[in-house]
Amino acid sequence: MFPTVREVLALDPVRHGAPRLVAGDAGLDAPVRWVHVAEVPDIATLLGGGELVLTTGIGLPADDAGLRAFIGDLADVGVSGLVVELGRRYVSGVPRVMAAAAERRGLPLVELRRATPFVRITEAVHALIVDAQLTELRATEEIHQRFTELSVEGAGPAEVVRQAAELAGCPVVLENLSRQVLAYDPAGESAELLLDGWEQHSRRIRPAGRTAYDSDSGWLVTTVGARGQDWGRLLLRWPGGGDLAAGTTLGGRPAGTPPTRLTILVERAASTLALGRLIRRDAEGLERQIHRTLLTALLDHSRPVDEVALRARALGVTLERRHLVGVVVRHRLDDPAAEGGAGESTVGAESAPEAGPARLRDLAEAVGQALREAKLTGLTSAVDDQAVGALLALPDPAAEERALTAFAAALRRIRLDAAPARPALAGAVPPDAVIVAAGSGVGGLREARRSLIEARQIADAARRDRRDLPIFRLPHVGLAGLLHLLRDEPRVQTFVERELGALLAHDARHPRDQLLGTLRAYLEQGRNKSAAAAAAHLSRPAFYERLARIARILDVDLDSVEACLSLHVALLALDAIRTP
């Protein structure tokens, strides 16, 4: 933004004075914020840094110690340089002690060997400074105008990042909170070098504050987010941090920090990204509300089917004369921080009160995006506090399997791209694992409710199925699915109480001596006692003793295949009854 000492020495009014650099050539690239004429030794107290001081030397100290102190004070306050006109105080040259002190502090010391009106120098330098400031103002105005246009046009993240890189002339990267790159522009540099090992590199960039410059890495960083919800960082690489000595100031900012123009640029780009995301979310949110209204109307018969079809057609979703398939997507675990084995894999935010709705909202967005990527049409929205439903409208029954496969593949890809990699725990269900369940296809909207309800029942029944199937259908859930469908049947509930009631009562009376889990491990391991003891993390003698107590409480022979089969069915039915 400001001319350097080297550039000032090249100006005609300065060259007229036959300048000669005596000391401090290391500081010739220091910016000159202002020119100040001074003839008193204590001028440093009136300066703010970045000034080029002009003097004839008539008021400078006569002793060596005074001259050293004078140079030291100027260097301490951060002046850009000292120009001494010879002829009045010093005839042949400045004192050696002054030159030595300036060289030691890296302060440019210049002699003017010919008389020169200082006013011409100040006018020339100040004209450069004003021109630079006007250029900076014009650049700032262009930044605001450019990003205002991008906001109005609803530009995507890639375009916003591209424009930011073009205006800055520097590489720009947009990442999410997991340090995964969402968009980037290398500004003519090598993209491979820019993004190589990005996550590890990004985690070392830790500036203080929402917008700050990390001088060690050379990245200017600002947080991206709105409404108190941050979702990413925008980074601009400005490699100028190592060119100047630390501790000096340039026009009110520390040396080695990016120009104000770049800080304004990244903040405006970040606000444009945040606003664009909010606009897209709000627009999608309104559309999703209508989708939810229509799906709810189908599930609870609150609106005539013809009205649902009419309103769906107005949204661009044709349901008449289509093959309809109900799909339900849900997380395997309702609360990954609380359910067994998953708590270790969750981040702290998952246990926050707002984590559940946010988790469901993210899943709904992923389902909607998967439908678009698979080029499918249908209604989609959350159908309860845990699940997202979709009613796919297909041209004919032959397209059903192909459409469901494409949808499941797109959903998996989207969630893998969006989720941070987490180490899997042995035998544990990933906390963000989802189930995709599909009901039987139907030939008309009046039967769509049956397909949606069937899909929801399949999704609930498949929660304890450890198979990683892309899509669960009714044949996949087997006995557990049948029991889930019959979970509200009184005769099933009576059967559970008859088989397990005594053991459940024991566990209720002895919360520190739970035996139901021991029975479950025994039955799930095919009555292999050694394997069951290992699965229950118990020694074999302790496990055998617990099995003996269970047999006494239930008055049953645990070596009997028929008795164990009955208990296993009762356990599956109990799980179905307890599953919300």
Side-chain angles (χ1 to χ4, degrees), residues 332-352 355 359 429 431 463-464:
R332 284 187 181 270
L333 304 181
D334 291 341
D335 181 4
E339 299 204 26
E344 305 254 347
S345 294
T346 58
V347 294
E350 291 288 343
S351 60
R359 194 163 168 254
V429 178
R463 292 180 62 201
R464 296 189 181 276

Side-chain angles (χ1 to χ4, degrees), residues 305-323:
V305 171
D306 292 340
E307 181 182 342
V308 172
L310 180 63
R311 294 194 63 182
R313 190 165 63 250
L315 283 174
V317 180
T318 302
L319 299 178
E320 305 100 319
R321 294 185 296 278
R322 293 291 189 273
H323 182 73

Side-chain angles (χ1 to χ4, degrees), residues 332-397:
R332 284 187 181 270
L333 304 181
D334 291 341
D335 181 4
E339 299 204 26
E344 305 254 347
S345 294
T346 58
V347 294
E350 291 288 343
S351 60
E354 66 275 10
R359 194 163 168 254
L360 182 64
R361 183 181 63 246
D362 291 342
L363 183 60
E365 290 180 355
V367 169
Q369 185 178 346
L371 283 179
R372 291 190 293 272
E373 290 195 7
K375 295 181 172 55
L376 300 173
T377 60
L379 299 175
T380 175
S381 79
V383 292
D384 55 38
D385 292 340
Q386 305 294 340
V388 176
L391 182 62
L392 306 186
L394 308 176
D396 54 68

